[in-house]
Amino acid sequence: MPVLAEVRERLRRERPLDGVSVSACLHVTAETANLMRALVAGGAQVGLCAANPLSTQDDVAVALAQRHGATVLAARGESAAQYAQHVQTLVASAPQVTIDDGADLVSAIHESAPSHAAEMLGGTEETTAGLLRVRALAEQGTLACPVLAVNESRTERAFNDRFGTGQSTIDGILRATNLLLAGRTVVVLGYGWTGRGVALRARGAGASVIVCEVDPLRALEARMEGYEVMGALAAAERGDVFVTVTGGRDVLRGEHFERMKDGAVLANAGHFDVEIKLADLRALAVGGRREALPLVEEHTLANGRRLNLLAQGRVVNLAAGEGHPASVMDMSFAGQALCVEHLVANAGRLRPGVLPVPEEIDDEVARLKLESLGVRIDELNEDQRVYRSAWEHGA
Ligand code: ADE
C-alpha cells in the first residue's frame, strides 16, 4: 500500500493527530490495519471494532493490538450481542473522530451519547448504505457533527466500488463455490458503481449478464453497455447466479425465490445482510436446509429446487473472500487518513452535515498512486489554461 505508506510517513513526521482519539468501525483486515498504523503514526489514540461479524481476520486483529498500539474489539463469528457490545465500548470511549463502514458507530453515538456527538470533530463514511443512514439523521435534524462522504469521493467510486467490489465480489463467489462463470447467466441487482464493476467482471469471465435497476437513467446506461435489462421477477427465472448490490432491502424475496432455477446461487455484496430476504428463503425451504459447502447453505423448496445462499447473505467479498485487494484499499484508506487529518485541522470550522471530500484529497491520492505506479502525465501549458477559463472563443 505505497500511497498509504507515503501518507503514514508524513503523518509520523508532522504528528497532526497528536492526542486525538479516533475510533473506527471497519472490516478488520490487513488493509484496515495499515490505516490504523498510519493514524497511530500521526499521534492518534486508535480504537477499532468490526463493521461485520463475519469479516474479521483474527490474526490481523491480534497483531494490530499487540504490535501497533491500537485497541481492537473484534473476533470473526462474534455474536450480534458481542458485536453491539464492541460498538458500545467505542461509544463509551468518547472518540473525537469516527471512521465508519455502514454508520454503526456514528449512529450509536447519536443514539446513546447525543451530547458527545455535538462535541466531535467529525466522522467519515465509506459505504452507500452508511451514507443513507447518516443522511436520514441529517434530514431528521439530528446529525450533530460533520461527516465526510468518502463513499462519494471520485477515487472511491471509480476505484474502490468499480474495480475493488467488482473483482472481490466475483472472487468471493468463486472461493465459496468454485463455479465456472463462463456460459452462465449472472443477474446483477443494482447498477451503481459497484453493480457496474460486478457486471463488468462477470462479463469478462464469460457470463451473460442481466441487470436489474430501478433508476431509469442507470438502467438505460446498462442497456447501452450491452447488458440485458429487465425487472427482477423476469430475471429470477433466467439467472444462475444472483448478486445484490443496491444498498436497499428485500431486493430478492419470496416471489423471486419461487421462480428461480434449481441450483441458483444467491450472493449479496451490499453492506447489510438485508438485500436477500432471509426470512422468506427460510420459510420457503420446506424441503430442508443443509450446509452444502462451508459458506454455501442449500435451501430446498416445495418444488424440489435447491437455492444456494452464500455466506448467510452477508457481504460476500469479505465474508467469503478477503475483501478488496490491497492496491485498491491503498487509495481508499490513504483518502480516509487524509480525511481524518482534514477534520482535525479544521476543528470548529466545519458545519454539521454530510460534506463532500475536499477535491485536494482526491487529487493527492490519485497523484501519489500514479507516482507509485511510475506513471507520468502531462500538465496544461499556460495557453491551454487560459483557453479553458475564457468565454470569448467560439465557432
Ligand atoms: N472493504 C472492502 N474490502 C476491504 C478490505 N480489504 N479491507 C477493509 N475494508 C474493505
Side-chain angles (χ1 to χ4, degrees), residues 175-214:
R175 286 194 200 201
T177 61
N178 198 21
L179 210 66
L180 181 72
L181 288 181
R184 288 215 158 80
T185 298
V186 173
V187 178
V188 179
L189 298 112
Y191 199 68
W193 285 98
T194 303
R196 289 178 176 105
V198 174
L200 194 66
R201 294 298 174 242
R203 178 155 71 184
S208 308
V209 176
I210 295 174
V211 170
C212 304
E213 168 58 60
V214 294

Side-chain angles (χ1 to χ4, degrees), residues 284-301:
L284 285 170
V286 292
R289 293 197 261 150
R290 71 175 185 111
E291 188 185 59
L293 287 167
L295 287 159
V296 182
E297 194 184 14
E298 183 189 86
H299 296 69
T300 304
L301 274 50

Side-chain angles (χ1 to χ4, degrees), residues 26-32 57 101 126 160 165 168 317-318 322-326 329 333:
L26 293 171
H27 300 291
V28 181
T29 65
E31 293 75 30
T32 299
Q57 295 168 3
D101 188 320
E126 172 98 16
N160 184 305
T165 317
S168 63
N317 57 345
L318 284 139
E322 291 172 71
H324 302 355
M329 295 316 291
F333 284 164

